[in-house]
Amino acid sequence: MTLWLALALMTAAAIFAVLWPLGRRTAAAGGSDIAVYRDQLDEIARDRTSGLIGEAEAEAAKVEVSRRLIGAADVADADKSASGRSPLWRRRATAIAGLVLLPVGTTALYLAIGSPQLPGQPLAARMAAVQQDRSLQTLIGQVEAHLERNPNDARGYEVIAPVYLRLGRFSDAVNARRKLLALSGETAERQADLGEALAAAGNGVITVEAKAAFERALVLDPADLKAKFFIGVAAEQDGDKPKAAAIWTGMLKDAPPDAPWAPVVRESLVRVGVTPPSPTAPPIAGMAAPSASDVAAASGMSEQDRGDMIRGMVARLADRLKEDGNDLEGWQRLLRAYMVLGDRDKATAAAGDAKKALAGNPDKLRQIGDTIKSMGL
Amino acid sequence: MIPELGHYALVLALALGIVQAVAPLIGALQRDTALMRLATSTAIMQFVFVALSFAALTACYVTSDFSVVNVIENSHSMMPLIYKFTSVWGNHEGSMLLWVLILAMFGASVAAFGGNLPTTLKANVLAVQSWIACTFYLFILLTSNPFLRVAQPPFEGRDLNPILQDIGLAVHPPLLYLGYVGFSISFSFAIAALIEGRIDAAWARWVRPWTLAAWMFLTVGIAMGSYWAYYELGWGGFWFWDPVENASLMPWIAGTALLHSAVVMEKRNALKVWTLLLAILAFSLSLIGTFLVRSGVLTSVHTFASDPSRGVFILMILIFFIGGGLALFAWRAPLLKQGGLFAPVSREGALVFNNLFLTTACLTVFVGTLYPLALEAVTGEKISVGAPFFNLTFGPLFIPLMFVMPFGPLLAWKRGDVLGVAQRLMAAFAIGLIAIAASFAAMGMSSVLAPFGIGLAFYVMAGSLVDLVERTGLFRMPMATVRARAAGLPRSVWGTALAHFGMAVTLLGIVCATTWGEERIVALKQGQSVTLSGYDLRFDGMVQRTGPNFRELAATFTAGSGGVAIGAMEPSKRSFVARNSSTSEAALLTRGFSQLYLSLGDVNEDGSVAIRVYFKPLVLLIWLGSLVMALGGALSLSDRRLRVGAPKPAKKSAAKPSTLQPAE
């Protein structure tokens, strides 16, 4: 309502600017070139008295300016006889144009291009509103904004890193973990957390980088459970099942009977074909694994479930690439995953999508082309 | 609500503009005083509304209202406050709004302070001004609307282009626009004169203050822009013959020519048609400047918007105003009464000489800037016209111009005496020769041409003071008389002398900085140092810092001369998170008028850092000279007295009054 009132007042001011001069009776008081030439004559006199020009030059100049003055006076006379008429009908027509056409025209144009229904949203006011409605997303936003301002605040990274991991923002999680390491120094736990994030970012594969982080954690604290477990996973992925089994069995041996992570390790042992030592306490259903990572979860599942899990991960990757197609490695991973799952049709389709998405970047386009060719698609 | 108020205010300005574009024209034709009066009130009200609109957009930026698309795209809630203001015009839409704000401001100034103008002329001028304004309002509202909204505002904007986050940008575009747009008044006056079919000496006087003001702002604007490029782009150069720079230089040259030819018209009622043409050209070149920058036809560091559909719109505006203005000129100019004739050797002659060279220089810049574009558009062939072309064409044109410059103010109107003037310039010649000899002695034969450039600069500096010295009687008369005479001199005489002096100062800076500057590119490890032109720079280490919306890697250096530390230098690289881009901030150390310039390159793996060091002797004179020029313009603008065509002969010709008959 205030908006419309303000717009109406502005329109009234504009109309007034048109009507006001039409209503005044006084004749126009314009200047004329006669004044300029009079000034020029005065100037000559001043210059003469101050000695800037000689007598003869002053005379000559005076003659010249006078001639202009006479010419201007003639024109002014002719003007005067012709000017001053302002017939009523013309003023009325102008007034009507100002009163009707101007508001109608402006309103029509404004309604066509303006957005009167949208209120202004200054950031400060919005922030105040957000304080009352804390959703996860805005909380993350606030922590991020805080970190933007104070990029050296380790606590912020500590808070946000697990959230990122849970939301599947793996690369952000990796960055946050790295930052934390740089800021608060190295501990076994932090290295292991970094390794976990790296593994998650690699879709469960313990990459060289991730493995290095776990190994570093074990150097710092040979008893670090998370690092131990993942080193085992790495061994399994390398095909070294006996080594994996040895690590995991060792873990269970030293474990307190009610360790919350024991069931997961036991499942892993089953997967590599080793019978785990019998539990002293039954596993509690739904108990959290030592890590929330997909790897750990997948390692505790049956073959069927694991297949579903992997397909879910692949689908998630495909979704992400649909949104942000500029990730060359992501595309390569997706293509390989489809081939491994034996889904050739989807792989072919994804190859086409990848080419389209990377079309803007010749270098990446060439690389994805190589990958596609190497797969025989 | 605020963005919508601003939006509507702009629509209202357009509506008032349409009234102002039509009614006063009819009024002037029919001599209807009521309709003519309409121009004054609508012009002032139009300005009020555009100002309101601009204020609304500024408010959106300052409060980070991310429901406005333009704010999302060019702002960030954590930018320092000053950049929230400057980012209003640091983008295409906002800068166009600034453009029309200044246009409306000039229109309102004519309405408010143009009481001395004949009513018909004032009505026509304001009507033409409003034609220009209306097309640009339409352009903004239809193709570049800064008030477009989104219903779901994001939480953060995309930040202002980091290269524009600098105090230089805060001041330089508004000044440049004041210059560009100021010429619109000269244009409107010219078109109004053509419509009325009448033009005389008084016209030149009325148009002069506006031209002078525009010229001043443009001078300072170009200088600021050049200084900004010098320290922000990190290349150490001050002028790149970049198309966008050329686009600002062309109206400046045309405007300079216009200022000089208007003097002839005012005093001698001659060169009328030519002056009209220059007035049309100066603004046409300003429009081309706007066009080159914004259409996306050109891409360079300065271009912050590229969108071909806008380009087409602007092209239409260009064709309408430039083509229309020139067509009107071709049709109406022959009907104008011709002015007086004059002898080639005279003040008028000197000014014509000035005009010839300036327009030729302007033409070379025009060709050098637009030919590659035209060629690419027609044949697809890409050529680049760079500094060598301009140095070979523009340079030689300016040498004779500079040489004759001191002669102009000393020559008499109507008929001058070259030999007499040359005699009075003897002292200046001598100073020039001494400067040449001294620079050869000091710098050896390292550059053969540069000492002559320095000689020319000193000769012009001295020569532009000769007139003052003679007219105040300095060295000849007692101090009291000199003071009285100095006070009695018209301000415009001081203005002329200062402007010419400033030009020479700039020339001196350019010659020295380009000829005897030194450059080194080295990689330094901590503790190592580099020596350049007698200065030592020691690399002390790197620091990582955090700014409001960027992170900064700064290297600290200690500059020393002869073993004595003279200051710290801290070049840095800033990375802006929101735009994922970085800028390099050069460090400058001023020694007198010279500067040490240090810009940071990459950090190598072994911990060494690549740096570029320049020593730029007398480089500050380039911009100082421009400021002196603008100061001359300001002095001249403050001259309320009228300059009359009174013959001011050389002493010798004063004895021959027979030569002073009016020439017409």
Side-chain angles (χ1 to χ4, degrees):
Chain A
M1 209 53 225
T2 2
L3 175 72
W4 293 109
L5 190 66
L7 298 191
L9 281 176
M10 283 160 67
T11 318
I15 295 174
F16 177 72
V18 177
L19 294 190
W20 183 59
L22 295 176
R24 282 198 311 164
R25 290 250 145 243
T26 47
S32 95
D33 39 5
I34 296 178
V36 173
Y37 300 133
R38 288 242 162 81
D39 264 358
Q40 288 192 333
L41 282 178
D42 291 349
E43 172 74 12
I44 295 173
R46 270 200 301 272
D47 278 0
R48 178 70 202 99
T49 35
S50 66
L52 282 174
I53 51 173
E55 185 69 47
E57 294 89 332
E59 272 313 309
K62 241 187 239 174
V63 170
E64 201 177 308
V65 174
S66 303
R67 206 176 290 157
R68 288 182 210 159
L69 187 57
I70 293 165
D74 286 347
V75 176
D77 282 346
D79 275 3
K80 201 158 279 170
S81 61
S83 84
R85 288 176 294 105
S86 182
L88 193 60
W89 67 264
R90 209 186 280 142
R91 272 184 286 156
R92 279 208 177 128
T94 317
I96 289 169
L99 264 174
V100 180
L101 291 186
L102 189 141
V104 170
T106 52
T107 313
L109 181 57
Y110 173 69
L111 287 180
I113 58 177
S115 323
Q117 75 285 0
L118 295 181
Q121 303 211 8
L123 195 62
R126 287 170 62 202
M127 283 307 214
V130 161
Q131 295 296 330
Q132 290 146 16
D133 172 33
R134 287 170 171 249
S135 68
L136 181 65
Q137 216 56 39
T138 52
L139 273 175
I140 294 177
Q142 279 173 350
V143 176
E144 280 173 341
H146 169 82
L147 287 174
E148 191 60 48
R149 270 191 306 269
N150 313 294
N152 294 328
D153 181 5
R155 253 196 52 226
Y157 293 108
E158 204 152 12
V159 168
I160 198 105
V163 182
Y164 282 146
L165 198 63
R166 182 124 42 92
L167 291 178
R169 290 170 63 178
F170 300 131
S171 64
D172 286 331
V174 170
N175 285 338
R177 289 289 180 205
R178 284 224 170 94
K179 261 315 230 222
L180 190 58
L181 266 173
L183 290 173
S184 348
E186 212 179 23
T187 64
E189 198 186 343
R190 290 194 190 116
Q191 282 288 4
D193 285 339
L194 171 65
E196 182 186 14
L198 283 167
N203 272 332
V205 176
I206 311 292
T207 55
V208 177
E209 238 181 326
K211 197 173 171 191
F214 293 128
E215 277 163 353
R216 181 76 198 135
L218 286 180
V219 168
L220 294 166
D221 175 10
D224 189 89
L225 288 169
K226 192 183 275 180
K228 260 192 199 167
F229 172 76
F230 277 102
I231 290 288
V233 175
E236 184 197 0
Q237 286 177 358
D238 289 345
D240 192 351
K241 285 186 182 175
K243 188 181 170 195
I247 291 173
W248 288 332
T249 323
M251 283 174 75
L252 284 177
K253 208 183 290 168
D254 301 341
D258 55 346
W261 45 265
V264 180
V265 178
R266 224 166 261 130
E267 299 275 355
S268 307
L269 274 174
V270 173
R271 199 170 63 234
V272 293
V274 176
T275 320
S278 67
T280 42
I284 301 155
M287 199 60 168
S291 91
S293 92
D294 294 327
V295 184
S299 52
M301 290 172 178
S302 71
E303 200 64 38
Q304 174 64 40
D305 288 349
R306 190 151 6 116
D308 287 348
M309 181 80 194
I310 291 172
R311 264 185 283 280
M313 262 158 38
V314 173
R316 232 175 316 159
L317 178 62
D319 282 349
R320 185 167 64 76
L321 287 172
K322 220 173 273 170
E323 269 162 39
D324 173 26
N326 205 23
D327 178 5
L328 170 68
E329 283 169 27
W331 284 113
Q332 288 171 335
R333 223 183 298 136
L334 182 68
L335 290 176
R336 279 197 205 103
Y338 281 140
M339 292 305 281
V340 170
L341 291 172
D343 209 339
R344 201 184 173 85
D345 292 345
K346 273 193 182 166
T348 316
D353 290 347
K355 277 193 207 157
K356 235 177 277 163
L358 297 172
N361 188 327
D363 197 41
K364 288 186 179 173
L365 189 64
R366 190 178 45 72
Q367 289 189 39
I368 195 77
D370 292 347
T371 312
I372 293 167
K373 244 183 252 155
S374 72
M375 290 178 176
L377 283 172
Chain B
M1 186 170 98
I2 287 181
E4 293 307 311
L5 285 184
H7 201 170
Y8 189 65
L10 199 61
V11 175
L12 274 178
L14 170 67
L16 282 178
I18 294 172
V19 174
Q20 188 190 329
V22 179
L25 268 189
I26 300 173
L29 199 68
Q30 302 289 334
R31 313 227 164 247
D32 185 327
T33 48
L35 289 193
M36 286 195 276
R37 229 169 22 218
L38 205 58
T40 308
S41 64
T42 47
I44 292 173
M45 212 53 181
Q46 208 188 106
F47 171 60
V48 170
F49 281 128
V50 181
L52 204 66
S53 182
F54 191 80
L57 187 63
T58 310
C60 291
Y61 267 95
V62 171
T63 59
S64 295
D65 187 337
F66 292 126
S67 66
V68 179
V69 176
N70 194 245
V71 180
I72 303 174
E73 281 171 353
N74 301 291
S75 186
H76 194 279
S77 65
M78 265 167 300
M79 276 196 306
L81 188 63
I82 170 91
Y83 298 137
K84 286 188 179 165
F85 278 101
T86 62
S87 51
V88 174
W89 58 78
N91 63 84
H92 168 77
E93 289 83 359
S95 67
M96 289 314 296
L97 194 60
L98 178 67
W99 212 93
V100 290
L101 174 70
I102 294 173
L103 194 70
M105 187 194 74
F106 272 107
S109 316
V110 172
F113 308 117
N116 59 344
L117 300 177
T119 34
T120 52
L121 181 66
K122 185 175 168 186
N124 279 328
V125 167
L126 287 175
V128 176
Q129 186 76 7
S130 195
W131 276 98
I132 304 171
C134 283
T135 51
F136 278 95
Y137 294 143
L138 271 178
F139 174 68
I140 293 177
L141 287 171
L142 298 183
T143 73
S144 321
N145 198 327
F147 292 108
L148 294 182
R149 310 283 303 278
V150 285
Q152 295 295 326
F155 255 89
E156 200 42 273
R158 283 181 220 154
D159 208 351
L160 177 65
N161 188 349
I163 213 168
L164 304 179
Q165 293 193 24
D166 181 89
I167 196 69
L169 182 87
V171 204
H172 132 78
L175 282 173
L176 215 51
Y177 281 12
L178 277 168
Y180 280 155
V181 180
F183 286 125
S184 71
I185 296 286
S186 320
F187 176 83
S188 296
F189 266 95
I191 299 296
L194 287 171
I195 291 173
E196 287 192 19
R198 207 176 84 201
I199 187 166
D200 39 40
W203 182 93
R205 198 183 113 58
W206 290 321
V207 109
R208 181 174 174 80
W210 304 105
T211 317
L212 207 49
W215 179 85
M216 257 170 58
F217 287 124
L218 198 56
T219 308
V220 182
I222 294 176
M224 287 271 325
S226 144
Y227 190 64
W228 172 72
Y230 167 72
Y231 75 77
E232 176 73 15
L233 299 184
W235 309 333
F238 49 86
W239 192 261
F240 303 98
W241 294 108
D242 173 289
V244 178
E245 283 169 334
N246 293 348
S248 65
L249 184 64
M250 287 188 285
W252 185 83
I253 300 176
T256 313
L258 172 63
L259 272 183
H260 288 88
S261 82
V263 174
V264 179
M265 175 163 166
E266 186 184 329
K267 301 226 176 181
R268 300 281 294 114
N269 205 18
L271 291 186
K272 292 197 284 198
V273 173
W274 172 243
T275 306
L276 274 186
L277 182 64
L278 278 179
I280 294 174
L281 285 182
F283 183 59
S284 302
L285 290 167
S286 296
L287 278 180
I288 290 178
T290 315
F291 171 62
L292 284 179
V293 182
R294 330 226 150 265
S295 64
V297 164
L298 299 180
T299 322
S300 85
V301 284
H302 294 68
T303 312
F304 29 80
S306 344
D307 181 350
S309 72
R310 289 170 180 161
V312 172
F313 200 117
I314 291 215
L315 198 61
M316 274 157 45
I317 297 182
L318 282 181
I319 291 172
F320 181 71
F321 283 107
I322 302 179
L326 291 177
L328 191 67
F329 176 79
W331 171 42
R332 299 285 282 190
L335 308 178
L336 296 174
K337 211 161 65 181
Q338 287 297 322
L341 304 170
F342 48 79
V345 178
S346 61
R347 177 85 71 91
E348 300 92 308
L351 288 167
V352 168
F353 179 90
N354 148 307
N355 267 231
L356 274 180
F357 275 80
L358 281 178
T359 40
T360 316
C362 189
L363 190 71
T364 60
V365 179
F366 187 80
V367 170
T369 312
L370 288 188
Y371 175 70
L373 291 180
L375 191 70
E376 198 188 328
V378 175
T379 66
E381 187 186 348
K382 275 194 185 188
I383 60 163
S384 114
V385 172
F389 168 82
F390 293 105
N391 291 346
L392 278 177
T393 52
F394 192 78
L397 280 169
F398 253 70
I399 292 171
L401 193 64
M402 296 285 285
F403 184 76
V404 176
M405 200 147 91
F407 280 82
L410 293 177
L411 277 170
W413 289 101
K414 291 191 180 181
R415 185 162 300 178
D417 175 4
V418 174
L419 282 181
V421 174
Q423 276 180 352
R424 291 155 71 201
L425 282 173
M426 268 320 197
F429 286 132
I431 289 174
L433 286 175
I434 293 170
I436 294 176
S439 20
F440 268 122
M443 305 306 295
M445 297 299 284
S446 58
S447 165
V448 183
L449 286 177
F452 289 99
I454 290 178
L456 182 62
F458 273 97
Y459 149 74
V460 174
M461 278 193 259
S464 47
L465 297 181
V466 165
D467 193 32
L468 288 183
V469 170
E470 286 188 350
R471 291 175 74 167
T472 54
L474 193 68
F475 308 133
R476 286 186 286 119
M477 297 193 187
M479 263 331 271
T481 325
V482 171
R483 222 170 289 139
R485 280 182 150 218
L489 269 187
R491 293 261 180 85
S492 67
V493 173
W494 288 97
T496 307
L498 261 188
H500 287 182
F501 189 86
M503 187 77 218
V505 171
T506 298
L507 174 70
L508 186 62
I510 294 176
V511 170
C512 289
T514 51
T515 314
W516 289 302
E518 263 198 76
E519 175 183 354
R520 292 280 297 277
I521 302 177
V522 287
L524 291 184
K525 282 189 181 169
Q526 193 160 352
Q528 287 183 326
S529 50
V530 59
T531 306
L532 181 93
S533 302
Y535 293 96
D536 302 314
L537 281 168
R538 198 182 66 235
F539 176 37
D540 295 332
M542 310 280 286
V543 213
Q544 181 83 41
R545 267 192 304 243
T546 309
N549 57 337
F550 57 84
R551 280 176 214 141
E552 187 175 51
L553 182 68
T556 44
F557 288 82
T558 309
S561 173
V564 186
I566 50 171
M569 294 179 82
E570 219 179 61
S572 64
K573 282 193 143 190
R574 290 181 180 173
S575 55
F576 290 76
V577 187
R579 287 236 177 188
N580 207 5
S581 59
S582 60
T583 63
S584 107
E585 304 286 313
L588 300 171
L589 184 74
T590 305
R591 303 285 290 166
F593 291 123
S594 311
Q595 279 189 329
L596 267 174
Y597 184 112
L598 183 53
S599 103
L600 204 56
D602 294 324
V603 180
N604 300 323
E605 279 175 9
D606 59 352
S608 68
V609 57
I611 53 164
R612 260 194 231 205
V613 210
Y614 303 89
F615 178 67
K616 302 260 171 196
L618 299 186
V619 70
L620 285 183
L621 288 184
I622 297 174
W623 303 292
L624 219 58
S626 315
L627 288 184
V628 173
M629 269 191 261
L631 192 66
L635 267 182
S636 195
L637 191 62
S638 72
D639 183 11
R640 301 181 51 118
R641 304 168 56 162
L642 304 171
R643 296 157 300 275
V644 193
K648 284 168 189 147
K651 277 164 220 144
K652 281 184 185 160
S653 61
K656 297 179 276 181
S658 60
T659 60
L660 292 171
Q661 292 305 316
E664 67 235 86

